[in-house]
Every structure is written in C-alpha cells, then in structure tokens.
Amino acid sequence: MLIVKKFGGTSVANKERIFNVAKRCIRDYEKGHDVVVVLSAMGKYTDELIDKAKDINPNPPKREMDMLFTIGEQMSVSLMAMAMAELGVRAISLNAFQVAMKTTSAYGNARLKKIDTERIRRELEDRKIVIVTGFQGVNKYNDYTTLGRGGSDTTAVALAAALHADACEIYTDVDGVYTADPRLVPTARKLKAITYDEMLDLATLGAGVLHNRSVEMAKKYGVRLVVRSSLNESEGTVVKEVVKKVERMIISGVALDRNADRISVIGIQDVPGSAFKLFNTLAKKNINVDIIIQSVGREGTKDISFTVSHENLKEAIDVLEEYQEVLGFERVEYNCDVAKLSIVGAGMMSNPGVAAKMFECLYNQNVNINMIATSEIRITVLVSTKDAVKAMNAVHDAFGLSEE
Ligand code: ADP
Ligand code: ASP
Ligand code: MG
C-alpha cells in the first residue's frame, strides 16, 4: 500500500510530538507500506512569520511573503527526517522545488497545476520514507508560491491523487470532523462520515479543519480522506462520495466564519449593468465576494451589499473608491463586526421549513439577521460578531446535533 499521511502544526509543535509522528509513520513503514508524509510548519510558526514581516513592512510584497513562509514547512520536514534517522529509519525530506510541484503564479493563493512524481517514486523504491513540505509550490518564474492558509491539506490530497495512493490520512488536533467546531460548541458530536459536498461547504464557510481546496480536489480525483487525531488512536471521520441514509440528520454541520466583513455600496445607479460593473471591478482584482443583497431601487438609485474576507477588505474599498466615478455611486460603507453563520446538510433539499427553523431559533435568541444566502444544501446568515458564538450554539442544538 502507498499511504499519504499529513500532520498539521500542532502535531509537530515540539520535539516530543515530532518523535510521536515519526513513530506513527514508521509503524506503517515497517508493515511494508510506502509512506509519504506531508507536514505543516511547527505550531503557530506561520503566524509568527507574518508578525515578523509586518514588523518590517505592514504591507509586505506577496512574493516575499511566500519566500518567507516556505522556511516554516522546510524546518518541519528536515527535523522530521532527522528524527526518523535518529530512530534508525531511512527517510528523506523534499521541498516543493525538489519534488517539482508546479502552481499558478498567484503568490499567497496559488493553485497546484502539476506534480512531478518521479523523484518521490525513486526515493520510495529505495525504501525511504519521503517527507514533503506542505503549503508551498513553485510557479513558472521558478519562484516559491503558497496555497493559502491551511493549504498543507491540499498538498496532501494532490500528492495522494498524483501517486494514486491507497489512503490519504489527515492528522490534526481534534478527533475528526465534528458537527461544529468543538472549541466553540462544546456539545458538538464527531461524525463517522461526511460527503465531499457537505465537507466542501463546511470548509468554505469557516470550518477550518480542512482546507476547502483539498476537499474539492479529493472529490475531483475520488481520494477518500480520513481526518483523525495525531494524539490518540480514535477512528476519525471519513470524507467520501455517499454517506448511508441511516442515522442521517437533516443538517450535518454548523460553521462560523468570523473572518467576513460587509461592504455596502450606497446610491449606485439603478440601471442595467451596474451590478456587472461593480463585481467585475472586484473580480479583476481577484477579490471573492459571498453573500450579496440588493435593495429595491428608488429615485433611480439602489444599494448593493456583499461580504468579503477580511484580508480583502482594504483592497476592495480602495478599488471601489478608485472607480467611484465610473461605477457611479454615492459612497461606500463597511462593517467588520459581523460573522457568517451557516448550516449545511444534504437533507435540506427534501425537508421544507429548515430555513424557518433556523430563523425562529435566532429570533428566540434575540439575534438580528443582517443578510441571508441559501443554496440547495446550505443556509448562511450574517450576524453581529458579539452574537455569533451564542447563535452558533443555539442553532446547533435546535437541529438536534448535540451529543445525547
Ligand atoms: P492543523 O494544523 O492540523 O491543520 P487546523 O487548526 O487547521 O489544524 O484545523 C483543526 C481545527 O479546526 C480544530 O482544532 C478545530 O478547532 C477547528 N474546527 C473548525 N470546525 C471544525 C469541525 N467542524 N470539526 C472539527 N474541527 C473543526
Ligand atoms: N503552515 C500553513 C498555515 O499555517 C499551512 C498549513 O498549516 O496547512 O497556514
Ligand atoms: Mg489546517
């Protein structure tokens, strides 16, 4: 068997944990399996690198940020190879250059395009454990890129797909995927299994346990993922195509995204093309928008509000102000004191009244809803930050997701 095992920051945060991971990998290796290990930077090292950069320049060039980021993962993989050597096992660390993991050129938010598996295969044939840096890639200019925060999960899934691995295991600091972030919702329950689509929505809407692109890629290439803890032997959660109806809830999970901000464009002309011009201007700057609402026009103008992630807020405001005349609006306002609360579940499609139940629950908690967005399998509301965790817990319990 060829197994890809990915370990996140907490799992390699110190010497003891590095040896713990090394031993876990060696166990599979000694059973005769081929083992490829993907690692994140140790502990909160990536955050520390951001602090160091911002201390020098509050708006550091993105290319240089990626150059800096890559040392975090490189530190983990080399130390891991040393730990394995210390335990008497042949291992080799490789970075994105050495493997040749090609990405698009967008610094800080690159997408993997092609992974050369030749070097990894050669090292595996030589009976070595291969330890690869997560999160990083190389673009067409031979520069380092990174895949976005949490991107090591995506490196692991991409490697599993490229190597046709028999298993892809994501080890983290919780026992698996829960009905909600167990750090925010103490009554959250661990799921045995979840579908790609539901996991993709949860991940995109704020459940940081998996990088959303890793789920997208797993679905595309049919990589069966297991999310489990590096600190115990508990079984974890399987992410796959279909989950049996038995024991299925209408809602499989609740997610909170506290990183969302709301922008309102006030007094934009109420003519054909105004929404197109507005969102096209943002798209050209690579700014993703989520929930959008537009007011009914009055006296020839209307208001359009939407959410962006906090990292994009400043750039979005700047570009809107730059194009104010072309876009023809009165003023732009923003609010950072908001959070996106979502419920996700395939059962929604066949069960009317799910939205009403969520709104009733928020009403009972006296929580005001600022914006609403829905799809077939999710409902998202924008609420104020101060209400967010209370609302999350209430909604989680209202849908019967808590542990009995
Ligand atoms: P790693 O460094 O291993 O990649 P992350 O911090 O990226 O770990 O992801 C694990 C964290 O995700 C957990 O500690 C937990 O707080 C958070 N999380 C958010 N939503 C969920 C969820 N639905 N189930 C489990 N964990 C979740
Ligand atoms: N070290 C990177 C981060 O903190 C990548 C990852 O952990 O997946 O975002
Ligand atoms: Mg992560």
Side-chain angles (χ1 to χ4, degrees):
M1 269 206 345
L2 195 163
I3 307 174
V4 174
K5 298 167 97 70
K6 180 260 171 180
F7 295 86
T10 331
S11 306
V12 292
N14 54 40
K15 175 178 165 185
E16 187 201 337
R17 295 214 176 134
I18 287 179
F19 274 104
N20 166 52
V21 167
K23 286 178 191 152
R24 239 181 141 134
C25 297
I26 291 172
R27 219 162 63 194
D28 284 334
Y29 171 82
E30 286 181 340
K31 284 182 196 154
H33 301 312
D34 286 332
V35 179
V36 175
V37 185
V38 175
L39 299 182
S40 295
M42 293 168 71
K44 300 253 169 265
Y45 197 67
T46 306
D47 293 321
E48 286 166 31
L49 291 175
I50 295 177
D51 292 344
K52 278 198 193 344
K54 296 222 156 149
D55 189 35
I56 302 269
N57 178 344
N59 280 309
K62 287 184 177 164
R63 178 193 180 276
E64 303 309 329
M65 271 322 289
D66 282 356
M67 190 71 182
L68 181 64
F69 277 146
T70 52
I71 66 172
E73 272 62 21
Q74 207 153 307
M75 185 193 294
S76 303
V77 295
S78 48
L79 291 175
M80 184 61 68
M82 292 176 202
M84 290 182 182
E86 174 69 13
L87 295 169
V89 171
R90 282 154 59 79
I92 184 167
S93 66
L94 297 174
N95 67 13
F97 246 108
Q98 293 165 318
V99 173
M101 290 208 255
K102 297 287 185 191
T103 68
T104 57
S105 34
Y107 299 106
N109 190 25
R111 279 175 177 265
L112 280 165
K113 278 170 54 180
K114 190 168 182 296
I115 297 181
D116 191 347
T117 54
E118 205 271 332
R119 175 79 189 265
I120 297 180
R121 292 233 180 255
R122 194 157 25 101
E123 304 293 353
L124 289 174
E125 264 159 41
D126 199 22
R127 277 308 282 158
K128 287 187 195 136
I129 296 182
V130 181
I131 310 158
V132 181
T133 47
F135 183 45
Q136 55 180 252
V138 181
N139 70 12
K140 64 179 175 201
Y141 308 112
N142 267 353
D143 280 343
Y144 276 121
T145 54
T146 59
L147 309 180
R149 295 305 306 272
S152 297
D153 300 329
T154 301
T155 308
V157 174
L159 274 172
L163 292 163
H164 306 289
D166 301 284
C168 183
E169 303 164 352
I170 309 286
Y171 289 86
T172 182
D173 54 6
V174 283
D175 289 351
V177 178
Y178 280 67
T179 49
D181 186 339
R183 293 182 206 286
L184 301 177
V185 180
T187 57
R189 197 165 38 84
K190 188 173 91 183
L191 298 165
K192 272 205 160 73
I194 185 166
T195 64
Y196 291 125
D197 288 333
E198 288 171 315
M199 190 63 237
L200 183 57
D201 269 354
L202 281 179
T204 306
L205 295 165
V209 62
L210 284 177
H211 192 230
N212 66 346
R213 290 225 191 105
S214 73
V215 186
E216 204 173 71
M217 195 171 298
K219 179 180 156 95
K220 184 167 170 198
Y221 295 101
V223 177
R224 193 168 179 275
L225 290 181
V226 179
V227 180
R228 52 191 300 198
S229 168
S230 65
L231 306 167
N232 62 44
E233 300 286 332
S234 132
E235 244 177 53
T237 304
V238 184
V239 188
K240 56 185 185 176
E241 190 64 51
V242 242
V243 173
K244 277 203 219 100
K245 267 264 167 8
V246 205
E247 274 190 82
R248 266 212 86 125
M249 307 269 176
I250 297 175
I251 302 303
S252 50
V254 181
L256 184 67
D257 181 357
R258 286 186 278 195
N259 195 32
D261 294 339
R262 180 182 60 187
I263 296 180
S264 297
V265 177
I266 311 286
I268 193 164
Q269 285 167 318
D270 191 16
V271 293
S274 56
F276 161 66
K277 282 184 206 146
L278 175 65
F279 292 111
N280 195 39
T281 306
L282 294 166
K284 279 194 186 141
K285 292 277 172 186
N286 250 321
I287 297 171
N288 257 332
V289 305
D290 189 28
I291 319 180
I292 300 172
I293 54 169
Q294 175 177 306
S295 69
V296 175
R298 50 179 150 61
E299 288 159 17
T301 68
K302 60 192 174 189
D303 306 334
I304 298 181
S305 300
F306 51 91
T307 59
V308 295
S309 71
H310 188 68
E311 304 84 66
N312 285 332
L313 179 73
K314 191 181 176 302
E315 204 180 352
I317 299 288
D318 287 351
V319 65
L320 289 175
E321 283 176 346
E322 185 186 336
Y323 289 93
Q324 179 163 13
E325 220 161 293
V326 191
L327 296 170
F329 62 85
E330 209 173 282
R331 64 179 195 281
V332 50
E333 294 176 354
Y334 66 88
N335 183 353
C336 300
D337 267 335
V338 292
K340 254 171 24 183
L341 174 65
S342 308
I343 58 176
V344 170
M348 257 181 231
M349 279 187 275
S350 46
N351 283 281
V354 174
K357 186 167 177 171
M358 181 181 190
F359 303 155
E360 181 189 19
C361 166
L362 294 170
Y363 165 57
N364 288 337
Q365 296 291 319
N366 202 19
V367 171
N368 191 37
I369 302 173
N370 291 314
M371 290 169 110
I372 301 171
T374 64
S375 84
E376 274 186 318
I377 68 164
R378 67 126 162 170
I379 300 167
T380 302
V381 296
L382 199 72
V383 298
S384 77
T385 310
K386 69 171 180 22
D387 290 333
V389 174
K390 172 177 86 171
M392 185 186 197
N393 277 276
V395 168
H396 183 267
D397 291 352
F399 282 97
L401 294 180
S402 304
E403 202 122 40
E404 280 82 51

